[in-house]
Amino acid sequence: MWSNICAYKFPYLPLNFSSKQQSSMAHHSLLSLALLSFFFLASISNTNAGTITVYWGQNGNEGSLADTCSSGYYGIVNIAFLVVFGNNQTPQLNLAGHCDPTSSGCTWLSDDIKACQDQGIKVLLSIGGASGSYTLISAEDAREVANYLWNNFFGGQSSSRPLGDAVLDGIDFDIEGGTTQHWDELAKALSEFSGQRKVYLSAAPQCPFPDAWLGTAIATGLFDYVWVQFYNNPPCQYSGNADNLINSWNQWTTIEAGQVFLGLPAASAAAGSGYIEPDVLVSQVLPSIKTSPKYGGVMLWSRYYDTNYSAAINILSSV
């Protein structure tokens, strides 16, 4: 693919052509370039590895959201994280070094979100995270959180939309602490808004099955995507061979969900354990797990660490 792109040549415009002819040929050249770029990016984000989804927002040195999407590697981007919500707390967004949402300093991200969506990339807001302060104390609390999310990030109305007027595509449940209750009710409340505009739901459970926090929510069957974290969990992650991972994967593909993704660290430094070299992933893991009709692709933590991982697995899986 790379050599063919490098060798591509555009029509030479002879000097004796009329300006109108030159303009027409230049137009076709630009059109060819645009089409070539489209198919190139499409081929990267939709290879045999499936869709790649990535988390963005927790390191100010990971580049912009717009650049993340224009890389051509990802089909879904999770903005991380809404770290405080529920139990009558004032919701708080934490985007590390990117911007300060407390002073409306993140509303400029609206343009980046729209740029991603214009490329066919879904942009979700991830709620929770490993170190947030969040909990749901009742079904009514879950409904109030759902209303807040709809009004501030989707099609509702609010005077204080943290990310500006962009309308996101969905909510990602990255619940790793707090209560184990009422997440199913939050999923149901959010799914009801899909009658007005589709709200995609995703979840990022740990690989021990079922997940301690999200098991009940995932059991509702309302989730479009479930990207399972096959890292920091030695009993069900890759460890010299793929046996434990594949056994766990086979459990996860029994759930009622649209697609199941393989969640991995994008570098050895991105997690305490569970990193898989790209060539090992493509040769030893993907051939087995891709046999499931629910296989959706690979989730990576995170954009900051993904200096070459997504590119490598795309290239290797396309050979």
Side-chain angles (χ1 to χ4, degrees), residues 290-304:
K290 283 170 54 181
T291 59
S292 169
K294 288 185 179 175
Y295 175 78
V298 177
M299 175 274 280
L300 295 178
W301 176 266
S302 62
R303 173 58 178 167
Y304 172 73

Side-chain angles (χ1 to χ4, degrees), residues 2 11 24 28 43 56 85 89 200 254 257 280 302 304 307:
W2 295 93
S24 175
H28 288 299
S43 68
W56 176 94
F85 59 89
Q89 300 178 97
Y200 288 89
T254 64
V280 174
S302 62
Y304 172 73
T307 56

Side-chain angles (χ1 to χ4, degrees), residues 178-301:
T179 180
T180 60
Q181 304 297 313
H182 309 298
W183 301 111
D184 56 335
E185 290 157 321
L186 178 59
K188 292 173 184 176
L190 286 169
S191 68
E192 291 175 5
F193 288 115
S194 287
Q196 302 178 57
R197 177 188 176 95
K198 172 64 178 177
V199 177
Y200 288 89
L201 297 181
S202 68
Q206 306 292 312
C207 58
F209 183 87
D211 183 75
W213 290 279
L214 289 172
T216 303
I218 292 172
T220 63
L222 294 173
F223 285 80
D224 301 281
Y225 314 112
V226 176
W227 22 79
V228 185
Q229 298 183 45
F230 285 92
Y231 52 94
N232 294 335
N233 287 287
C236 49
Q237 68 189 29
Y238 184 91
S239 181
N241 63 66
D243 293 347
N244 290 344
L245 185 154
I246 292 172
N247 289 337
S248 179
W249 173 266
N250 290 337
Q251 288 183 298
W252 278 103
T253 53
T254 64
I255 65 174
E256 184 180 348
Q259 294 180 320
V260 181
F261 285 62
L262 177 70
L264 297 172
S268 58
S273 61
Y275 175 71
I276 307 175
E277 292 288 348
D279 59 331
V280 174
L281 173 68
V282 172
S283 63
Q284 298 183 28
V285 180
L286 292 186
S288 294
I289 69 173
K290 283 170 54 181
T291 59
S292 169
K294 288 185 179 175
Y295 175 78
V298 177
M299 175 274 280
L300 295 178
W301 176 266

